[in-house]
Amino acid sequence: MPDELSVGELGRTVDALREEIRAMGQGINARLDKVVSTEVYALQSAYTDQRINQLGQELQKAKDANEALENAFEQYQRDERDRRERERQARLYQLIVPVLLGLLSAAIAIWAVVAK
């Protein structure tokens, strides 16, 4: 009979098994507390997808606005370059026309004196 357990030993073994089962149950409960239901997961996933789409749209709007700003700045630079060119030409004509008129007047005066 040495292989058989006494009543006290059986009681202690049963108590140990009960403690192990209780600890396993607590571990399972702890893990189940961390588990999210399918409905909640689906809602969270839908919200995340929606938010990602919104952020993508906002990013696209920002890119479009940036591109429009760059295009407007390039157009401004072209307009400013053209304006400066027109002003340069206007100053050149304002200098050349009076000089030519003066030379023409001098030539006419000389011609008038020579022709008499």
Side-chain angles (χ1 to χ4, degrees):
M1 285 215 199
D3 291 337
E4 294 180 17
L5 299 176
S6 68
V7 174
E9 290 174 342
L10 282 175
R12 285 189 290 274
T13 304
V14 168
D15 285 340
L17 285 174
R18 282 183 183 161
E19 280 301 315
E20 284 182 33
I21 291 172
R22 188 174 300 125
M24 285 175 38
Q26 288 175 349
I28 290 172
N29 285 338
R31 280 190 253 148
L32 285 176
D33 287 342
K34 294 178 185 177
V35 172
V36 178
S37 70
T38 306
E39 293 84 16
V40 172
Y41 177 75
L43 288 173
Q44 286 176 339
S45 295
Y47 174 76
T48 302
D49 292 342
Q50 180 184 12
R51 186 65 182 136
I52 287 171
N53 289 336
Q54 286 175 347
L55 290 173
Q57 291 172 352
E58 290 174 12
L59 180 62
Q60 187 61 41
K61 286 179 185 177
K63 284 181 180 179
D64 292 343
N66 187 28
E67 186 176 324
L69 184 61
E70 286 177 358
N71 290 339
F73 182 68
E74 288 172 2
Q75 183 62 40
Y76 169 77
Q77 286 179 325
R78 286 190 297 270
D79 292 343
E80 187 65 21
R81 183 193 65 219
D82 293 344
R83 183 190 64 80
R84 283 193 307 262
E85 180 62 25
R86 284 191 307 274
E87 284 181 1
R88 186 187 67 76
Q89 288 177 357
R91 283 192 304 267
L92 182 64
Y93 293 143
Q94 288 172 356
L95 177 66
I96 290 176
V97 170
V99 170
L100 289 177
L101 285 177
L103 288 174
L104 183 62
S105 297
I108 291 174
I110 293 172
W111 181 65
V113 170
V114 172
K116 280 188 181 184

